[in-house]
Amino acid sequence: MNPYSILISKSLNIRVEQAEAVIELLDAGATIPFISRYRKEATGNLNEVQVAAVSDLYERLKELRKRKETILKTIDGQGKLTDELCQRIETSWDATEIEDIYMPFKPRRRTRAQVAREQGLEPLAKIIMNQKEHYPDMAAQRFVKGDIKDIGQAIKGAQDIIAEGISLNEGTRQAVRHNFQREATIVSRVIMKMKDEDKAQKYSDYFAFSEELRRCSSHRLLAMRRGETEGVLRVTITGDDEGNIERLKRHYVHGFGPCQTLVAEAVEDSYKRLIEPSIENEFAALSKEKADDEAIRVFKENLRQLLLAAPLGQKRVMGVDPGIRTGCKVVVLDAQGNLLYHTVVFAVGGHGDSKSSMSRLSKAEEQFSDIARKWRVDAIACGNGTASRETADILRQIDGIPTYVVSEDGASIYSTSEVAREEFPNEDVTVRGAVSIGRRLMDPLAELVKIDPKSIGVGQYQHDVDQTKLKHSLDQTVELCVNAVGVNVNTASKNLLTYVSGLGPVLAQNIIDYRRENGPFTSRAQLKRVPRLGPTAFQQCAGFLRIPGAKNPLDASAVHPESYAIVEHIAKDCGCTVADLIRNADQRKKVNINKYVSASVGLPTLTDIMKELEKPGRDPRGKVETFEFDPRVRKPEDLVPMMELPGVVTNITNFGAFVDIGVHQDGLIHISQLADKFVHDPNDIVKLHQHVRVKVLEVDNRRHRIALTMKGVPQR
């Protein structure tokens, strides 16, 4: 059995057999989507989130194993590795405990204690620490020689040795750490000399802030740390220093006398100079890591909701990137997202009297209508940036063509990217941006995979958290979303194919090249002809790649090729073809799946197969809806307390949800204002891009804040 299985089982509250199965599959090269979708019998029906948790913990344990090997090698190199010490390190899987054990052996720069040892003062330190000598000055007199000029210097050096020994003691550090866990406070104070008061004002809540560290939420901690980085705040973590020192004295000082006084002084020095700064740094790092994990969790959930947003589908779309001075960039895309036409329409802004403005609006409406009619546009995608409200109002005047407002976040990043340059080498960035807006309406997932997830604008403090951990989590989220939806192998871009289970950039490009040279794939079996796409890669990717219109209808479904024989067996027993089985619900109702259970195929797989036959290749995403803001409001000054308005959820945090109400500044629904009940997680109440109705509570124009509520507001 893998040594990590028991640890993972206990940590994640799953059976040892489940952990063992996932580890074996991961070591064999299986991906998280493949394991969770096609190996349910082996894993005991673990879902993708649970499989991902096993994978992440497995990687952390392997890293800890490497760290332990390094520590053992270092201690052994010093000739100090005993059997007991080796056993303690080998059996521990607590990173903090392992580092505490290692600390006395850890190579350090030259310390005061090390200098004192070199001066021969260690025996004196032992005499004082023993606390039986009644005349420590007389004992110290024997050590006044060489670099030691007097008794005071000898005693001070001995105290330095004692202080360092106390600070390196594992039990001492654990005791102080335990007290910090219960009593530590995070304190934030404003730095008086600030160059930019406007920048500082957004941190005004933390100018004089204090809270128990264990109760400090992740968003508050990250906000304070950002303020500290920007030079606005000074943030410290403090424990009960007096209480900790007294507890340590009770432990190390025995009775009364001159030696006891010297030991008490060494204890206090050890705590203030060595222990407290070290533990404070440790708790600062741990609290930051915890806050990072929470922020990343929120970001992942927002990204997942955004990627799985409802697609319009394969329709001919007009994409409009609104603008004032430079006009609106307009593109027309065919049903496959190919660029057919682009131009610029000046719809809003400029100078002149009301008569000329009306003339310009009328002309813009006519231009938009002509483009839509000439190119037989089915829908319009309007970016939600500058002049979005005004432009969308004009576009909605075009009869019979729905207008959808689409998030522009990240479109500018895409337009200057290498991906965009490859797709449109002869077009400028404005055209590429408008194309991205149009494609986002057609298929958000397919377009957003081209953009760094951090640039999509659905997280908070994404630049403040651990970037390596953030990238891993977001890439994993994108991978799970892409494979949950499935990919049309004949139309997917390289970026989309890259995230398909078992592929990656090289195989994705090889599929594109094969498609270009040989035409569309007509069967999944054809994938085996793609260069470097071997049996393992085929097994991992085949079930997630779709071929609509293929001769075998299962090639357009999520049924894996390894299960085709099962479906054919079921169809044969029903006296029909596979296509008939898919079309005829009555035929499927007659199937007793228990009859087909075998050593290699269990009920989970058979249940999934029957669900898939109901709607082969079904898209798990919903349907896109149109939305209009309240015409009464266009800027924050138009808002009045208690006014009810429609809005769109643009971002979700662990303290509430931000909502676009059409005034070019999102309002915040604090978590306490989301519902007439206690809300633990805002995601339980709202989802990203959900259409909601809100009520205005307060408008603070100085701090650019709008407070909203959903309490008592009927939702349609």
Side-chain angles (χ1 to χ4, degrees):
M1 179 177 290
N2 192 295
Y4 303 116
S5 299
I6 296 174
L7 295 167
I8 292 172
S9 169
K10 290 179 179 178
S11 178
L12 301 181
N13 195 27
I14 61 176
R15 298 195 309 275
V16 174
E17 296 79 11
Q18 292 176 299
E20 181 79 8
V22 173
I23 289 172
E24 286 182 1
L25 287 163
L26 289 169
D27 286 344
T31 66
I32 294 169
F34 178 81
I35 294 170
S36 58
R37 179 66 176 81
Y38 297 113
R39 291 295 179 265
K40 292 182 178 179
E41 285 84 356
T43 68
N45 245 341
L46 294 181
N47 61 35
E48 68 273 13
V49 176
Q50 293 171 305
V51 174
V54 173
S55 175
D56 290 344
L57 182 52
Y58 182 38
E59 290 302 317
R60 290 200 299 273
L61 289 172
K62 288 194 291 185
E63 287 300 314
L64 186 55
R65 172 75 262 175
K66 291 178 184 177
R67 175 61 178 161
K68 288 163 68 170
E69 289 171 355
T70 300
I71 288 172
L72 288 168
K73 185 177 180 181
T74 302
I75 299 175
D76 190 39
Q78 298 171 5
K80 299 177 181 179
L81 185 62
T82 65
D83 291 342
E84 181 185 358
L85 190 59
C86 181
Q87 178 71 9
R88 287 197 65 199
I89 294 172
E90 285 282 7
T91 56
S92 176
W93 290 96
D94 183 323
T96 302
E97 181 183 47
I98 291 169
E99 294 299 331
D100 277 352
I101 296 171
Y102 177 48
M103 185 162 284
F105 310 97
K106 193 173 185 178
R108 290 183 297 277
R109 59 187 179 184
R110 206 156 176 258
T111 63
R112 282 162 44 174
Q114 181 61 34
V115 172
R117 289 191 191 92
E118 292 170 0
Q119 293 171 336
L121 294 174
E122 193 157 20
L124 178 59
K126 290 179 179 178
I127 291 171
I128 294 172
M129 194 64 185
N130 197 33
Q131 300 176 53
K132 292 182 179 180
E133 173 63 58
H134 295 293
Y135 304 102
D137 286 0
M138 294 180 60
Q141 183 65 50
R142 303 198 305 267
F143 297 89
V144 178
K145 54 187 175 181
D147 292 335
I148 305 300
K149 305 302 182 184
D150 53 45
I151 291 172
Q153 185 181 355
I155 289 177
K156 186 67 180 69
Q159 285 181 305
D160 286 340
I161 294 172
I162 293 170
E164 183 174 273
I166 291 170
S167 75
L168 296 178
N169 182 272
E170 184 184 345
T172 297
R173 295 183 68 82
Q174 288 285 19
V176 175
R177 186 179 290 118
H178 178 70
N179 292 326
F180 258 74
Q181 286 173 342
R182 291 186 292 108
E183 301 164 355
T185 300
I186 185 166
V187 178
S188 172
R189 295 288 183 266
V190 65
I191 298 174
M192 297 309 296
K193 294 180 180 180
M194 295 175 291
K195 297 179 181 179
D196 188 344
E197 290 194 15
D198 288 337
K199 182 179 77 171
Q201 194 58 40
K202 63 184 177 181
Y203 299 109
S204 60
D205 291 344
Y206 306 104
F207 283 0
F209 181 86
S210 177
E211 185 177 26
E212 288 182 55
L213 181 61
R214 61 195 174 98
R215 299 187 185 279
C216 185
S217 63
S218 64
H219 65 272
R220 287 200 292 273
L221 191 142
L222 289 172
M224 284 185 275
R225 290 302 182 191
R226 179 183 287 181
E228 182 180 44
T229 301
E230 294 183 2
V232 177
L233 305 174
R234 179 175 290 111
V235 182
T236 56
I237 294 174
T238 61
D240 177 10
D241 293 343
E242 291 185 8
N244 285 330
I245 291 171
E246 285 305 311
R247 281 186 283 268
L248 291 179
K249 284 181 179 178
R250 286 198 296 271
H251 179 75
Y252 284 103
V253 180
H254 311 299
F256 302 92
C259 281
Q260 284 82 352
T261 300
L262 294 176
V263 172
E265 290 173 357
V267 167
E268 187 164 350
D269 174 54
S270 177
Y271 180 83
K272 291 181 177 179
R273 180 169 59 88
L274 301 172
I275 299 174
E276 195 275 340
S278 173
I279 298 296
E280 179 182 340
N281 289 338
E282 182 181 309
F283 271 74
L286 288 172
S287 61
K288 173 64 165 54
E289 182 180 4
K290 183 179 177 182
D292 282 2
D293 289 345
E294 177 61 17
I296 291 171
R297 183 194 68 79
V298 172
F299 200 155
K300 280 174 59 178
E301 177 56 25
N302 282 349
L303 178 62
R304 187 190 68 80
Q305 292 181 27
L306 184 63
L307 293 174
L308 296 180
L312 179 68
Q314 293 188 328
K315 306 284 186 181
R316 186 166 288 205
V317 169
M318 179 196 296
V320 181
D321 185 359
I324 298 176
R325 184 179 57 83
T326 57
C328 299
K329 277 63 70 179
V330 183
V331 299
V332 177
L333 309 175
D334 67 15
Q336 284 71 46
N338 299 309
L339 178 63
L340 300 176
Y341 171 78
H342 67 85
T343 188
V344 176
V345 174
F346 290 87
V348 296
H351 302 282
D353 55 26
S354 59
K355 185 176 181 180
S356 61
S357 297
M358 290 298 293
S359 175
R360 183 176 62 254
L361 291 175
S362 178
K363 183 178 179 182
E365 183 182 332
E366 184 179 341
Q367 286 178 283
F368 284 132
S369 296
D370 287 345
I371 295 169
R373 184 173 56 254
K374 177 181 177 181
W375 293 97
R376 301 188 303 282
V377 168
D378 297 311
I380 300 171
C382 178
N384 69 341
T386 304
S388 172
R389 285 288 303 277
E390 297 80 0
T391 305
D393 287 346
I394 298 171
L395 293 168
R396 289 193 179 99
Q397 302 306 310
I398 303 174
D399 291 336
I401 302 178
T403 295
Y404 302 88
V405 177
V406 178
S407 171
E408 289 184 7
D409 287 331
S412 60
I413 302 294
Y414 162 78
S415 64
T416 58
S417 68
E418 183 179 346
V419 175
R421 290 194 297 272
E422 287 179 1
E423 287 191 295
F424 304 103
N426 300 318
E427 308 297 347
D428 65 24
V429 293
T430 61
V431 174
R432 296 170 188 163
V435 169
S436 182
I437 289 170
R439 286 177 171 176
R440 287 189 193 194
L441 175 62
M442 299 168 71
D443 191 338
L445 178 60
E447 191 62 21
L448 290 172
V449 294
K450 302 173 184 177
I451 304 169
D452 182 346
K454 287 190 300 182
S455 303
I456 296 177
V458 291
Q460 282 224 312
Y461 307 108
Q462 57 262 43
H463 300 293
D464 302 307
V465 303
D466 184 312
Q467 296 300 293
T468 301
K469 188 180 291 186
L470 176 65
K471 184 179 187 309
H472 168 74
S473 295
L474 298 185
D475 285 348
Q476 190 179 83
T477 300
V478 176
E479 180 186 26
L480 292 175
C481 289
V482 168
N483 290 283
V485 172
V487 172
N488 183 334
V489 71
N490 285 324
T491 60
S493 66
K494 175 184 174 181
N495 305 83
L496 191 58
L497 288 168
T498 296
Y499 285 103
V500 172
S501 167
L503 294 185
V506 173
L507 287 179
Q509 185 60 57
N510 289 354
I511 288 174
I512 298 291
D513 294 342
Y514 184 91
R515 198 170 69 192
R516 186 183 300 119
E517 295 169 8
N518 300 280
F521 288 88
T522 57
S523 72
R524 277 174 169 163
Q526 227 179 320
L527 289 164
K528 296 177 181 178
R529 302 177 191 170
V530 173
R532 300 182 65 178
L533 203 157
T536 300
F538 177 80
Q539 181 194 53
Q540 297 297 309
C541 74
F544 303 103
L545 295 173
R546 312 278 194 266
I547 305 178
K551 182 178 179 181
N552 187 337
L554 295 178
D555 282 349
S557 74
V559 177
H560 197 281
E562 65 188 10
S563 296
Y564 283 9
I566 300 169
V567 181
E568 290 163 359
H569 187 186
I570 294 172
K572 183 179 179 182
D573 287 350
C574 291
C576 65
T577 64
V578 171
D580 292 334
L581 192 62
I582 292 172
R583 283 193 295 264
N584 195 327
D586 291 333
Q587 286 279 23
R588 294 194 301 274
K589 288 177 183 177
K590 297 176 184 177
V591 177
N592 177 12
I593 59 174
N594 294 292
K595 176 182 174 182
Y596 302 95
V597 173
S598 66
S600 58
V601 181
L603 282 175
T605 293
L606 291 165
T607 301
D608 283 347
I609 288 173
M610 295 309 295
K611 285 182 179 178
E612 187 63 22
L613 293 180
E614 291 177 17
K615 294 180 180 179
R618 64 190 180 282
D619 194 321
R621 299 172 289 180
K623 292 184 178 180
V624 66
E625 298 177 352
T626 58
F627 175 85
E628 290 188 40
F629 292 112
D630 191 309
R632 296 175 296 169
V633 298
R634 293 185 177 274
K635 54 187 184 298
E637 291 75 15
D638 295 334
L639 299 174
V640 178
M642 307 312 291
M643 176 184 281
E644 284 193 21
L645 301 166
V648 179
V649 178
T650 58
N651 203 354
I652 300 174
T653 70
N654 56 4
F655 58 86
F658 288 92
V659 177
D660 183 359
I661 52 175
V663 295
H664 302 294
Q665 179 185 322
D666 287 356
L668 171 66
I669 309 176
H670 189 267
I671 189 170
S672 62
Q673 296 293 326
L674 281 169
D676 295 310
K677 62 179 181 179
F678 174 77
V679 178
H680 175 71
D681 183 351
N683 281 289
D684 294 337
I685 306 298
V686 293
K687 299 299 178 187
L688 204 63
H689 289 180
Q690 180 180 335
H691 299 169
V692 297
R693 288 195 65 79
V694 299
K695 186 184 293 182
V696 178
L697 289 179
E698 182 184 2
V699 181
D700 184 343
N701 288 317
R702 181 172 179 268
R703 299 174 71 185
H704 305 291
R705 293 184 178 180
I706 301 169
L708 306 171
T709 183
M710 282 174 56
K711 282 186 173 181
V713 183
Q715 301 299 314
R716 296 174 183 174

